[in-house]
Amino acid sequence: MITDGLSYSAFRGRPGRGRGGGAGGAVADGDGDGIPLGLSRHRVLLIIGALLLGMLLSSLDQTIVSTALPTIIGDLRGGSHLAWVITAYLLTSTVSTLLWGKRGDLYGRKIFFQAAIVIFLAGSVLAGLSTSLVMLIAFRAVQGLGSGGLMVGGQAIVGDIVSPRERGRYTGLFGAAFGAASVIGPLVGGVLVEYLSWRWIFYVNLPLGAVALAVVASQVPGRLSRVHHVIDYLGTVVLSLAVTAVILLTSLGGTTYPWRSAPIYILGGAGVVLTGLFLLVERRAAEPILPLHLFRLRTFSVTSLVGFIVGFAMFGAITYLPAFFQVVRGISPTLSGVYLLPLMAGLLAVSIGSGQIISKTGKYRFFPIAGTALMTLGLYLLSLMGVHTSTLQDAVYMLVLGLGIGGVMQVLVTIVQNGVPHSELGVATSGATFFRSIGGSLGTAVFGAIFSNVLGGNLARHLHGVTLPPGFSAADATPTLLKHLPAVIHAGFVAGYAESIQTVFLIAVPIAVLAFLASWLIPQVELKQWTEEENAGPTAPKAESDGPATGQQPGRLPMVGPSGPART
């Protein structure tokens, strides 16, 4: 029996198989997941570090490319396909999210996380070697495929090696990594493009990915059991097509194609029909890619709803912060990343702090409620940020928003992992990520349409009938182009642009209020603490229970035990 260099003492059996001895001193107890015991704190921290590197890689490549796009287009040509450099990555990462989660549940997460790293690094190398924009788009799609596995696999593996009670302190680090990547991505991209080459925004992934791959291979335990599974091929194909239609609709609508155009109508209709077909397919699938019975769990359904709304309001709105600083404040794209540091500081502080508090108290319900409330307030404050607000005011407003985001984003993952059977931990984790990503895609598209619609009117009003110079596009305004405008036109343009972004933030406020109201529906379920008895091995008796564990002392960091999380 292959044990991956670790002495195993227990594994999960398939539901209904009962308990009994097995080879190598194993006992079967419930869900069919091979879970190792006896991990030291040092080994857990090594694993967490490698998983964080994977999360950082995935998150960084969502933002690092944006700063380099003008240089890439100048080198490879093909500006008409510019949007696809980002859309291809977003599309494949979102589509593959549920697939990675389900396959990890069925066959073990270690091998799929390693595969995700390899795919991501291969896509990075090929993207850096691209000699045409079509090649770059294709290899960005490969990167996105690996990214989906990195996002889901890292968070799901934490669920395998740390008890639900202790999990919060580590998942908070993932939220911090995601927030840090969102802020430092444009900054790092600008530095690499300026001092090296745009190709290095892809090559920089290689050393980080190699370290993550080596640590995962040597430290993350593998599985003991292998069980025959029925693969939901039809559900996988229908889901992929449905999500593809939605992502293309939101990414291309209003940019590549007008909203009122045949391609957009076709994509919208296809998305609706394929979603309905997917629901029918999943009802009949033996092992569905997204089990519909999960939606009967209040924890899963409510956190999915909150995550969708948070993604819609948050990603759709904060996309415009770099544009605000570059156009209204007149700073460079690279420096605009520095201006976002207060947002990152708030996010880091609460993501890490909330995880520590949740691990100590076992209570989590307060954080999404308070987080969505602060996020709502932060978005409202950003709607007040205009031409004449000070840098200090900007920083305070972004800090409030960061505090709110830090209190809700990763806490939702901890909640949903605690509320589902361990055999479905991967698909539940991927579901939380999936709905947040879909919400972000829709929010970006909707707010983009709102911004475009109000920008023309606001510019006309602030310019007092003065027309912009020929060839000057309001949508493509940069600090360099704005410097060449006459002072009067420059002031009017900046005022109109700022007011349009204010409108975007203001409309995001009631959407965030919906997330706040929905967060009150999240149930408080005791976060289970794996006990010394459960970690003792095959000789230790274990009570079968579906309810939450109570009366257990936190003690030392509990490592992997055979008992799954409490169910709602």
Side-chain angles (χ1 to χ4, degrees), residues 30-70:
D31 283 335
D33 295 286
I35 301 179
L37 303 181
L39 296 179
S40 66
R41 178 186 290 270
H42 175 71
R43 185 166 178 180
V44 168
L45 292 177
L46 277 177
I47 295 171
I48 295 296
L51 301 180
L52 281 172
L53 277 179
M55 170 69 79
L56 183 64
L57 289 173
S58 175
S59 304
L60 197 62
D61 263 62
Q62 294 183 16
T63 57
I64 196 173
V65 174
S66 58
T67 308
L69 279 179

Side-chain angles (χ1 to χ4, degrees), residues 251-334:
S251 299
L252 304 180
T255 54
T256 304
Y257 301 105
W259 285 106
R260 295 182 179 181
S261 63
I264 298 302
Y265 289 141
I266 292 172
L267 288 172
V272 173
V273 172
L274 289 168
T275 300
L277 180 60
F278 174 71
L279 296 177
L280 293 176
V281 169
E282 295 302 273
R283 290 174 64 90
R284 292 173 169 79
E287 295 191 36
I289 193 72
L290 178 60
L292 298 182
H293 68 81
L294 287 178
F295 291 97
R296 293 197 293 269
L297 295 174
R298 183 175 160 194
T299 299
F300 181 81
S301 57
V302 174
T303 52
S304 296
L305 175 63
V306 173
F308 176 86
I309 299 173
V310 167
F312 191 102
M314 180 182 71
F315 292 113
I318 66 175
T319 301
Y320 290 92
L321 280 174
F324 176 88
F325 289 121
Q326 292 175 41
V327 174
V328 179
R329 296 287 184 259
I331 62 177
S332 67
T334 301

Side-chain angles (χ1 to χ4, degrees), residues 130 137 472 545:
S130 297
I137 291 170
F472 184 90
S545 173

Side-chain angles (χ1 to χ4, degrees), residues 69 73 77-88 133-134 136-137 252 256-257:
L69 279 179
I73 297 305
R77 308 300 177 186
S80 58
H81 302 295
L82 174 65
W84 282 97
V85 176
I86 296 176
T87 301
L133 199 62
V134 173
L136 178 60
I137 291 170
L252 304 180
T256 304
Y257 301 105

